[in-house]
Amino acid sequence: MLNKVIYFIRSKLLPNKLFLIDGNNRSKSIYLTFDDGPVNGITNDLIKLLDEYQAKATFFIIGKCAMSHPEIIKRIHSSGHTLANHSYSHPPFHKISIETKVSEIQKTNNVLKELIGENCTLFRAPQGRWNLRLLYSLFRLKITAVHWSRDSMDFLKEPPEKIVKRLIDNPLKSGDIVLFHDDDSRCIEALRTLIPHWQAQGFTLSALENIHS
């Protein structure tokens, strides 16, 4: 409950360019985001599913995974999705120094710049662990901190049907940023039901933008 209060306060006090917790709610768009990839055998199948429904998404990638699978990074980019930063090695951000945090962010941005030739200005902290020093450092780097407004809780590794029920029983609203992880096929199985369900409700599935590029 305390974390929810903190994130609510930050979402109201900080402009979206500094701390983004939901997207543009003036258009009927929702924003799928995927953390912890790319993962061989998962991310490519996810891209195929998104392409099938002409849905766009944002991939918060781990730098060392990108180094291992550069071809997946290039496919994400060529398919029209947004690539964003989720640190280089996914360390526990609440246990490391601000200098190490900044190094993790810069290393991944350098990887993305090398692979796709574009600047990355969106960052999500591992496990959504934020503090004011990190937000200030991101501000100085002209990088937007991106949280989420809805959590699929797919990290629990529950049956896909439970993920589907959770997100249908509590309907999304325009502008919601939805957290998934592309490290397990459960998210793909859940999205086979959820994507057409949301599109039938009139939602467009959009990607967040690297606004300072």
Side-chain angles (χ1 to χ4, degrees):
M1 179 60 71
L2 178 60
N3 281 341
K4 290 183 179 180
V5 172
I6 291 172
Y7 293 137
F8 175 79
I9 292 172
R10 287 177 181 169
S11 71
K12 298 305 179 185
L13 295 182
L14 298 177
N16 283 347
K17 285 188 177 182
L18 293 182
F19 189 76
L20 186 63
I21 200 167
D22 52 30
N24 181 4
N25 57 17
R26 289 170 294 185
S27 62
K28 198 167 183 182
S29 291
I30 54 178
Y31 302 86
L32 298 183
T33 64
F34 299 94
D35 289 7
D36 294 357
V39 175
N40 194 35
I42 303 296
T43 306
N44 277 329
D45 288 345
L46 175 58
I47 296 168
K48 183 178 179 180
L49 176 66
L50 294 170
D51 287 349
E52 180 181 341
Y53 288 98
Q54 299 182 315
K56 301 304 179 186
T58 306
F59 289 79
F60 285 86
I61 64 101
I62 296 174
K64 68 178 184 179
C65 296
M67 291 289 288
S68 298
H69 303 291
E71 73 288 349
I72 301 179
I73 295 298
K74 292 175 181 179
R75 184 178 177 189
I76 292 170
H77 182 249
S78 65
S79 296
H81 306 293
T82 294
L83 284 157
N85 189 324
H86 195 45
S87 81
Y88 187 81
S89 62
H90 206 281
F93 255 46
H94 60 304
K95 295 182 179 180
I96 60 176
S97 69
I98 188 63
E99 291 78 15
T100 304
K101 293 174 185 175
V102 170
S103 175
E104 285 271 330
I105 295 164
Q106 291 177 323
K107 283 175 68 176
T108 293
N109 270 10
N110 290 340
V111 169
L112 288 173
K113 180 71 172 180
E114 180 180 343
L115 290 176
I116 65 170
E118 295 181 5
N119 294 321
C120 173
T121 60
L122 301 174
F123 172 75
R124 176 176 286 159
Q127 299 177 331
R129 293 184 180 273
W130 308 101
N131 60 42
L132 291 178
R133 288 194 70 189
L134 175 57
L135 293 178
Y136 178 68
S137 296
L138 292 171
F139 167 72
R140 294 189 64 182
L141 293 168
K142 295 184 178 180
I143 293 174
T144 300
V146 182
H147 198 65
W148 57 84
S149 55
R150 294 296 303 274
D151 187 352
S152 72
M153 300 181 71
D154 61 346
F155 66 90
L156 295 175
K157 310 304 182 189
E158 297 172 328
E161 295 79 11
K162 291 195 72 171
I163 300 172
V164 170
K165 187 175 188 304
R166 180 179 296 120
L167 291 171
I168 289 180
D169 287 352
N170 297 283
L172 300 188
K173 66 180 187 305
S174 296
D176 269 335
I177 297 174
V178 191
L179 172 63
F180 282 92
H181 298 80
D182 58 325
D183 62 353
D184 188 279
S185 62
R186 289 174 177 84
C187 82
I188 299 173
E189 293 308 311
L191 287 168
R192 289 190 196 281
T193 299
L194 288 167
I195 289 176
H197 170 78
W198 289 327
Q199 289 181 334
Q201 292 182 321
F203 287 112
T204 298
L205 279 69
S206 304
L208 299 171
E209 296 181 8
N210 278 299
I211 55 178
H212 300 291
S213 295

